[in-house]
Amino acid sequence: QVQLVESGGGSVQAGGSLTLSCEVRARILSIGTMGWYRQAPGKSRELVSTITGTNINSADSVKGRFTISRPHVKTAILQMNNLKVEDTGVYFCVARDVRTFSGRRSEVWGQGTLVTVSS
């Protein structure tokens, strides 16, 4: 079974920083894409940033403030700087094209971690 474990959420004042981590808990052969989405209260889930090899795709609203990295094949890090009130939401980690010894999972989601930015 493939599990994604997120950590690093919390509360911060506007202008502050947080670092989110996502770790894949499973014996895997490969993972294509890892990344982060977020869901603000009353809104649908939206892309924050994904990384596939050296290719990074980020929402315009976070460019220049958020940085995604993948220090290990099973780990994704989201460094969030200069946070704004509108960044508040639940942040979900996603892993796509996950290949294990028992098969392939097209997409796996974490449980989410709450980020609250106050003014």
Side-chain angles (χ1 to χ4, degrees), residues 45-64:
R45 195 173 296 189
E46 64 176 8
L47 168 74
V48 176
S49 191
T50 60
I51 181 168
T52 309
T54 58
N55 184 40
I56 292 174
N57 182 34
S58 297
D60 288 342
S61 61
V62 306
K63 286 179 180 176

Side-chain angles (χ1 to χ4, degrees), residues 72-88:
H72 184 272
V73 65
K74 294 169 63 173
T75 304
I77 306 293
L78 184 68
Q79 177 64 45
M80 305 186 293
N81 297 326
N82 190 21
L83 281 158
K84 302 177 179 181
V85 172
E86 52 264 41
D87 293 319
T88 294

Side-chain angles (χ1 to χ4, degrees), residues 16-20 65-66 78-83 91 115:
S17 299
L18 284 173
T19 303
L20 303 184
R65 300 188 299 121
F66 292 11
L78 184 68
Q79 177 64 45
M80 305 186 293
N81 297 326
N82 190 21
L83 281 158
Y91 283 67
V115 171

